Amino acid sequence: MRKRMLLKTSFLSLLAAMLLVAGCSGNGATNTTKTESQGEQGQAEARGSISLSVYDRSMVPAEEGTIESNRWTRWLNDNGPADLKFTAIPRWEFKEKFNVLFASGSAPDLIFEYATGYRNELINQKQLMPLGDLIEQHSTEYKALLEKYPLLQKVAARDDGNIYEFGRINGLATNQVLYVRKDWLDKLNLPVPKTVEEFYNVAEAFVKQDPDGNGQKDTFAIGVTGVGAQVIDSMFQDVGYKVQDGTMVRTWDNSIAKSNFIKKLYDNGLIDKDFLTDKNGEKAKQDFINGKMGFYGANGGAMSEGYMIFSALKKNVPDAKVMAIPLPASEFGQFSPSIQNPVQATAAINSNAKDPVAVMKYVDFLVRESTMKTMMFGVEGEHYAVDDSGCPKPIDQEKNKKELDWNIDFRMLASPAFFGECGKYQNQLDPSNPIDQEFLEIIQQAEEAYLTPERPIADYTHGEYKPSLPKDLELIVTNTGEQMVSYYQQALVGGGKYTVEQAAQDARAFWEKAGGKKVDDWMAEWYKTHADTAILTDDLYDITIE
């Protein structure tokens, strides 16, 4: 295991550095006005006007407005250096939405997007702007971060020598979590499943033994689309490519084993027969919240998104008990689902942005300590008070649920690691509240299950560190993706007429005919030449932030 990535920081040292550069650019967010901001020499600068994207997860309470117009969009407008126009991007249809916007010339100036693969496509298409000169000439706060934490520059750099993205530092933290209804396990006298065979047995019991006690066969085992699908992918290491015997190879065998497992669930009536129409897993989420699903793969499952799902379940089914469990082991090993990227690129600038300098100044505003603190904890005296430990603590949990917990996508440049223990989500929970106490246990279970190299993520690296394919090879992947998936889908729902093995054979033949072997060879060569320098899975557990 290589120990190359050490980020030594403390909140006080970071704050001192930020205050030093902020001394050249004014007194911070609270002193900006709607008409001007302070320049490097104290002179007034014209206020910019920019557009920017924000994910829409359908989480904003109706009384709070919409994701494009709410208390936080107003706060950012009122306190930041630019007038802002937000564009909603459906979280799980982001690519389709962005493609339409870029094709029509109406894509926002500032792009917030987690998917490195998609950002790579945009870079290859010259849709995103190189940032080096812009940062050097017009940035203060973000420039200081790059100098202090060069790994931020490394994750944003491409082979042409340019950097194209802004990022944040998370530290090692969970993301996807596999929940199980612990009360159902207890009622049916079942153990927590440790293998996929045991998982299947529990899934069958959850559907056929009436775990909710209503005398009806109306429960499902798990959702197999959206995050649920990704969790099952991780169980079987069906992640596209894996390192085997020192070589990068495509996961054909993993796909067959995973698909046969899902087919067995489907053929025996353990999952929703209409799962193919639930492309993003939204129906599965509602089934879990309504007490009708035994296992659930939750995005942000040990943070605010998971808390909202858990608390909604408790409202509908007060006696429900939930656990976060390690992924069951398959014949390929035991893995963890996706974790948060410790050092993560999250934003980029449209190459056609009308005022890149205004965008840069807004990014500087977002990474200031005062802005990060507000977006993470709310407004002091209204949403939080500082306790004896020096950490912001919620004043009114219910108020924060309505006004704060859903704003996660406005903080995509906020770095939780800079706040130490104060930056962890569990610091915002109240142990005296029974629901919060239960969720604190879920957080601990998730961290013990997934933040260990003994059960590493299934992929050869975090998805956001994967290499960017050349444009011609990326086109092969794009043009074949939908058809490749359709082969397996036909096998899943087609009974015995079309087997998974036949689907895999057809998919492989289609892939190779379309030029896919060139992609496979490129990936193998990339690993051969970059294994010692790239950030790979084992490195994720070595990144230390002090």
Side-chain angles (χ1 to χ4, degrees):
M1 188 174 294
R2 299 177 294 281
K3 296 185 180 293
R4 299 193 300 270
M5 320 297 179
L6 179 62
L7 296 177
K8 292 186 177 180
T9 183
S10 70
F11 174 66
L12 291 178
S13 64
L14 174 75
L15 180 56
M18 285 186 163
L19 289 175
L20 179 62
V21 295
C24 298
S25 59
N27 295 322
T30 58
N31 288 336
T32 58
T33 72
K34 289 292 288 182
T35 57
E36 63 183 32
S37 58
Q38 292 300 110
E40 294 187 4
Q41 304 302 321
Q43 73 273 21
E45 293 183 346
R47 184 176 173 84
S49 178
I50 66 174
S51 57
L52 62 163
S53 69
V54 61
Y55 287 136
D56 187 356
R57 301 176 190 258
S58 301
M59 291 168 59
V60 182
E63 62 270 24
E64 288 291 304
T66 68
I67 197 65
E68 295 174 305
S69 178
N70 55 68
R71 71 177 59 242
W72 299 111
T73 61
R74 290 189 291 273
W75 188 92
L76 291 165
N77 263 295
D78 290 344
N79 292 279
D83 295 323
L84 309 174
K85 178 183 178 183
F86 290 87
T87 298
I89 305 295
R91 178 62 184 97
W92 304 114
E93 290 96 25
F94 67 89
K95 188 171 183 178
E96 294 85 346
K97 179 68 172 181
F98 273 130
N99 284 346
V100 169
L101 292 172
F102 276 106
S104 65
S106 57
D109 301 321
L110 181 57
I111 305 295
F112 284 98
E113 175 52 56
Y114 285 125
T116 300
Y118 182 62
R119 294 197 309 270
N120 286 340
E121 290 182 34
L122 296 177
I123 291 169
N124 290 338
Q125 296 164 8
K126 309 297 183 184
Q127 300 277 22
L128 299 183
M129 180 182 296
L131 302 176
D133 290 343
L134 186 67
I135 293 170
E136 180 64 30
Q137 296 170 19
H138 298 285
S139 175
T140 52
E141 278 85 352
Y142 197 80
K143 182 179 178 181
L145 291 183
L146 285 183
E147 291 171 352
K148 192 171 182 64
Y149 310 110
L151 193 53
L152 276 172
Q153 180 154 332
K154 180 173 182 176
V155 302
R158 296 298 184 272
D159 290 341
D160 63 5
N162 291 310
I163 65 171
Y164 289 89
E165 298 144 328
F166 303 108
R168 65 179 181 181
I169 298 179
N170 297 311
L172 195 63
T174 61
N175 182 19
Q176 294 176 348
V177 172
L178 179 60
Y179 292 156
V180 64
R181 284 288 297 273
K182 176 66 164 55
D183 55 319
W184 287 11
L185 290 176
D186 292 342
K187 179 178 180 179
L188 302 178
N189 196 28
L190 297 168
V192 173
K194 293 182 171 58
T195 67
V196 293
E197 291 81 9
E198 292 176 3
F199 182 92
Y200 178 84
N201 292 335
V202 172
E204 188 172 46
F206 279 175
V207 174
K208 297 184 177 181
Q209 295 184 26
D210 192 25
D212 62 352
N214 69 352
Q216 301 178 37
K217 291 185 176 181
D218 59 353
T219 54
F220 298 113
I222 189 172
V224 295
T225 55
V227 179
Q230 294 169 25
V231 166
I232 296 176
D233 287 345
S234 294
M235 284 188 201
F236 288 89
Q237 203 184 13
D238 183 19
V239 289
Y241 290 90
K242 64 180 180 180
V243 178
Q244 182 172 289
D245 300 326
T247 302
M248 184 78 78
V249 298
R250 194 166 173 88
T251 56
W252 294 110
D253 291 343
N254 306 73
S255 296
I256 292 172
K258 184 276 300 283
S259 298
N260 271 320
F261 179 75
I262 295 177
K263 182 174 177 59
K264 186 177 180 181
L265 293 173
Y266 179 84
D267 287 347
N268 289 296
L270 307 186
I271 58 177
D272 189 341
K273 64 181 179 62
D274 296 320
F275 75 91
L276 290 178
T277 65
D278 186 25
K279 294 181 179 180
N280 304 316
E282 283 300 312
K283 182 179 181 299
K285 181 169 75 172
Q286 293 307 313
D287 286 336
F288 182 75
I289 287 172
N290 291 325
K292 296 301 179 184
M293 186 167 285
F295 293 98
Y296 182 71
N299 205 50
M303 287 175 282
S304 60
E305 191 171 355
Y307 181 87
M308 294 179 73
I309 292 170
F310 174 71
S311 58
L313 168 66
K314 294 292 285 186
K315 182 178 180 180
N316 292 329
V317 190
D319 294 332
K321 301 293 181 184
V322 173
M323 284 182 66
I325 63 171
L327 299 193
S330 69
E331 61 264 47
F332 304 101
Q334 187 174 23
F335 305 99
S336 288
S338 172
I339 61 174
Q340 276 207 63
N341 188 343
V343 182
Q344 180 182 35
T346 58
I349 299 181
N350 186 338
S351 59
N352 292 320
K354 297 180 178 63
D355 190 350
V357 174
V359 180
M360 186 69 253
K361 292 186 181 301
Y362 180 69
V363 168
D364 271 6
F365 164 71
L366 290 179
V367 302
R368 289 178 188 167
E369 182 266 341
S370 59
T371 308
M372 289 195 294
K373 192 172 186 179
T374 298
M375 299 315 294
M376 289 174 62
F377 307 116
V379 177
E380 186 170 9
E382 184 177 345
H383 297 102
Y384 75 88
V386 177
D387 69 1
D388 293 340
S389 70
C391 289
K393 288 288 188 179
I395 296 171
D396 183 338
Q397 289 277 8
E398 291 304 313
K399 178 181 176 68
N400 285 11
K401 289 176 187 177
K402 294 177 182 178
E403 298 180 0
L404 178 66
D405 289 355
W406 47 266
N407 85 340
I408 54 176
D409 296 311
F410 294 105
R411 19 173 148 144
M412 286 177 64
L413 283 175
S415 294
F418 292 164
F419 295 87
E421 290 298 315
C422 299
K424 294 183 176 181
Y425 178 70
Q426 48 263 54
N427 185 64
Q428 298 301 299
L429 300 179
D430 179 5
S432 67
N433 179 312
I435 291 180
D436 286 18
Q437 180 57 51
E438 288 187 57
F439 199 72
L440 283 167
E441 294 176 8
I442 291 173
I443 292 173
Q444 183 176 353
Q445 292 162 354
E447 290 183 345
E448 291 175 355
Y450 307 138
L451 300 184
T452 170
E454 294 178 3
R455 290 182 292 274
I457 62 168
D459 226 331
Y460 64 90
T461 187
H462 194 284
E464 296 171 13
Y465 291 153
K466 290 185 176 181
S468 176
L469 290 169
K471 189 174 182 179
D472 59 326
L473 300 186
E474 184 63 48
L475 192 61
I476 292 173
V477 174
T478 300
N479 290 342
T480 57
E482 186 174 337
Q483 180 60 47
M484 298 277 283
V485 170
S486 73
Y487 286 122
Y488 289 103
Q489 288 180 342
Q490 291 174 50
L492 293 179
V493 300
K497 298 178 181 179
Y498 187 59
T499 67
V500 167
E501 286 74 14
Q502 184 61 53
Q505 183 177 330
D506 292 345
R508 190 164 189 168
F510 176 75
W511 170 252
E512 293 179 354
K513 184 177 181 180
K517 189 175 184 304
K518 291 188 289 185
V519 181
D520 298 342
D521 291 344
W522 189 94
M523 290 295 299
E525 181 63 24
W526 176 87
Y527 180 76
K528 180 179 178 181
T529 57
H530 291 80
D532 291 332
T533 56
I535 302 173
L536 301 177
T537 291
D538 56 356
D539 299 314
L540 300 177
Y541 303 91
D542 291 339
I543 295 175
T544 302
I545 301 174
E546 298 176 355

